[in-house]
Amino acid sequence: MDAKKPTVVTPWPKQGLSDHVRAAPEPAVPRPSREKAEEAVRTLLAFAGDDPAREGLLDTPKRVVDAYDEMFQGYRECPLDVLDKTFGEIGSYNDFVLVKDITFNSHCEHHIMPFFGKAHIAYKPVERVVGLSKLARLVDVYAKRLQTQEHMTSQIATALEEILKPQGVAVMLEAEHMCMSIRGVTKPGSLTVTTQFSGLFDNNPQEQVRFMTMVRGGQR
């Protein structure tokens, strides 16, 4: 006899969701053409002191624009679409779900320099769970935009809380910022840690301790 397939519940209603959760952001200004973007790269190459017309840099503007399309694809993605489907067959499970060490890379909005690290996400479901890979995809939706780490932490937590409506959410990001490591104070290896808790994680210090213990457990 075939195993019973898990119940899939979809979609979630869009009422009452924050703008950044409900849809991909609308462009604040018309998107420049690819030609204009490549010309802007040539200008920056010349500003740095090099010759955009020399052989090694001839294709650099095209490569940079291609890279921008990939690195900032989060502007064209919607968190609600990522968490749209959930599964209702969880038996008697009544604890939080934790996915830790989700690697990410983003760019700081102040210098357009990379910051990268790991995200740790936990939520306590109410009758339904989301696919584990979707939590990693949610991180990437927000990471692949110009960001601050604080804002990114808040956005991830808010999306989980508003869409899944769980008993509680815990989000922790740890990242190294190149704008601090290779310029300015030049302190490589420094980590920035941000957290946001809601529901039972915010109201119950013991659940925060369990979350932190499980995140730190086994780390070398």
Side-chain angles (χ1 to χ4, degrees):
M1 184 174 180
D2 293 339
K4 187 178 179 181
K5 294 182 179 180
T7 302
V8 178
V9 181
T10 182
W12 287 91
K14 296 188 177 183
Q15 292 79 10
L17 300 179
S18 299
D19 289 343
H20 70 83
V21 175
R22 182 187 308 111
E26 292 289 338
V29 296
R31 194 179 192 203
S33 67
R34 185 182 183 92
E35 290 73 19
K36 287 186 176 180
E38 292 184 7
E39 186 58 37
V41 176
R42 294 186 188 93
T43 299
L44 288 174
L45 291 172
F47 181 79
D50 216 319
D51 178 10
R54 71 176 176 85
E55 182 181 7
L57 296 180
L58 279 177
D59 290 331
T60 296
K62 177 184 181 299
R63 296 190 191 102
V64 171
V65 173
D66 287 342
Y68 263 50
D69 266 340
E70 180 180 349
M71 293 186 300
F72 299 115
Q73 67 184 23
Y75 285 112
R76 301 182 294 279
E77 296 179 335
C78 171
L80 182 60
D81 292 341
V82 171
L83 301 180
D84 199 31
K85 294 183 179 180
T86 60
F87 301 89
E89 287 193 353
I90 61 174
S92 60
Y93 189 80
N94 191 35
D95 203 352
F96 63 74
V97 178
L98 168 65
V99 179
K100 68 176 188 176
D101 297 335
I102 302 169
T103 57
F104 72 87
N105 58 82
S106 188
H107 286 76
C108 95
E109 63 187 35
H110 301 140
H111 301 95
I112 319 184
M113 298 190 72
F115 68 94
F116 53 87
K118 295 180 178 180
H120 317 288
I121 296 175
Y123 73 100
K124 188 168 185 181
V126 177
E127 298 181 349
R128 59 186 71 173
V129 295
V130 70
L132 300 178
S133 66
K134 305 303 184 182
L135 299 179
R137 284 192 59 200
L138 179 68
V139 171
D140 277 345
V141 168
Y142 287 117
K144 293 185 180 300
R145 302 176 183 180
L146 292 173
Q147 280 286 14
T148 67
Q149 185 174 329
E150 298 88 344
H151 194 201
M152 181 175 160
T153 305
S154 173
Q155 288 177 320
I156 293 170
T158 300
L160 289 166
E161 186 173 0
E162 293 185 356
I163 298 173
L164 300 183
K165 303 188 186 304
Q167 297 179 53
V169 169
V171 176
M172 176 179 179
L173 301 187
E174 304 175 278
E176 181 173 357
H177 292 246
M178 292 298 97
C179 57
M180 182 176 175
S181 297
I182 64 174
R183 61 159 300 282
V185 295
T186 58
K187 300 297 180 185
S190 300
L191 288 181
T192 298
V193 180
T194 51
T195 60
Q196 184 154 319
F197 303 103
S198 70
L200 67 90
F201 291 101
D202 193 33
N203 300 328
N204 188 339
Q206 291 183 340
E207 291 300 279
Q208 287 191 27
V209 171
R210 286 186 64 216
F211 170 74
M212 297 298 294
T213 300
M214 292 174 72
V215 166
R216 296 305 187 196
Q219 287 193 356
R220 295 187 293 273

